[in-house]
Amino acid sequence: MPHAAITAVGHFLPDERLTNADLEKMVDTNDEWIRTRTGIVERRILDEDKATSYMASRAAQEALDKRGVTADEVDLIIVATVTPDMLFPATACLVQDAIGASNAWGFDLSAACSGFLFALSTGASFITSGRYDKVLVIGADKMSAIIDYTDRNTCILFGDAAGAVLLEPDTDGYGLLDAHEHVDGSHDQLLCMPGGGSKMPASHESVEAHAHFLKQEGRAVFKYAVEGMAGVAEEVMEANDLTGDDVAYLVPHQANLRIIDATARRMGVGRDKVMINIDRYGNTTAATIPLCLHDWESELKRGDNLILAAFGGGFTWGASYVKWAYDGADVARTNLAEVSASLG
Ligand code: UT7
């Protein structure tokens, strides 16, 4: 049975930056509080007239270009997102059209900040079953579309971005070797967007109540997030007889630097082996993990053991064990302008 190996990584980041100084002018907050409580310095914000599929398509196209794979070779597209362009059709359909993946089908997967890990595990099963050779797994969120920029509890946390990986079969022992996933729906109110679904369709009242924005009980979620992310990372390490020394990198969801540090401590992994870019992008929900893989790609070596871990709304949480399949230093940097040009 083949494993599903990540054979290419792509990303998209909007140009516009929203800094802590900018937020100081919008709500009652300050740079020092944001840095010390979260680790965030700035985030990226997508143009108002663009949506999640715009970022997802560009991240996907970059991954394909790097690998020299054409869009018509792709079998399946999974987009992890909580900010789809529309409730339906699925963002995966819009990505399929934008990149011209004429032989692919696809669907969206909704698992908030754990979305990329759940999509990775789902996509991998289509590879290990022998059914497909090329699966695109994308994590993309335009969080600025569902953030209330009058709520200081949440507006300082989130940014917009997309990351994508290409999965292909590997028979040499590289790729996704294990994945542990959990959900617990009993805390749905602690982190959610109450409006816009079938429970509370849009109305004058729902708009006035700011119900179409993300709501979070930060302190309560923090407690569950530390236990969930650190616990599941430990779980996947134990299941695979890994110690901190065996791990080349922890690739954590970027919600809060303190949650990341707690997870690394529990795993026995030093800060030098933790991918951290929350300072530059904030919490980009489903995009954080592939964005880390992109930023660290040139450092990654064939055979590196990576532990990917996430916790998010649902609650959802999970961790994956990936044996990295290629030397990142060999990957030619693609020209992002060319990627964008090819998509028109
Ligand atoms: O990604 C999906 C999962 N989500 C997470 O993992 C997020 C988990 N939660 C967190 O990361 C943290 O709880 C936050 C960063 C959201 C908040 O940090 P905290 O240390 O838990 O702060 P807090 O909510 O307990 O608030 C402490 C104080 C409060 O004031 P009082 O009541 O002590 O007077 C808040 O009103 O800080 C106040 N506060 C702020 N002050 C300045 C809250 N937001 C701000 C702000 N600027 N932006």
Side-chain angles (χ1 to χ4, degrees), residues 99-180:
I99 66 174
S102 48
N103 297 307
W105 67 289
F107 55 89
D108 289 2
L109 189 151
S110 174
C113 299
S114 308
F116 179 79
L117 285 193
F118 286 17
L120 183 67
S121 169
T122 306
S125 60
F126 284 95
I127 300 271
T128 54
S129 69
R131 193 158 163 203
Y132 295 135
D133 287 337
K134 299 212 168 18
V135 174
L136 270 173
V137 174
I138 306 167
D141 273 301
K142 184 187 178 187
M143 295 306 291
S144 61
I146 60 164
I147 292 301
D148 181 351
Y149 286 98
T150 65
D151 175 12
R152 72 172 183 174
N153 293 298
T154 53
C155 74
I156 55 132
L157 298 170
F158 295 93
D160 304 336
V165 299
L166 180 66
L167 298 181
E168 295 180 85
D170 179 287
T171 49
D172 296 323
Y174 298 91
L176 181 68
L177 302 190
D178 197 13
H180 291 227

Side-chain angles (χ1 to χ4, degrees), residues 29 33 37 113 152-153 216 218-219 253 256 258-259 283:
T29 190
W33 190 97
R37 297 289 178 124
C113 299
R152 72 172 183 174
N153 293 298
Q216 176 171 248
R219 201 176 304 189
H253 170 54
N256 189 312
R258 292 180 287 147
I259 299 173
N283 182 347

Side-chain angles (χ1 to χ4, degrees), residues 178-182 227-242 266-267 307 317-320:
D178 197 13
H180 291 227
E181 297 94 359
H182 302 275
E227 184 44 41
M229 206 160 104
V232 74
E234 198 172 42
E235 186 185 309
V236 86
M237 285 174 71
E238 276 172 16
N240 294 280
D241 289 325
L242 296 170
R266 181 101 155 248
M267 290 170 62
I307 299 294
W317 67 107
S320 308

Side-chain angles (χ1 to χ4, degrees), residues 144-149 192-195 207 209-215:
S144 61
I146 60 164
I147 292 301
D148 181 351
Y149 286 98
C192 65
M193 187 172 90
V207 171
H210 290 209
H212 301 277
F213 292 124
L214 174 148
K215 310 277 179 200

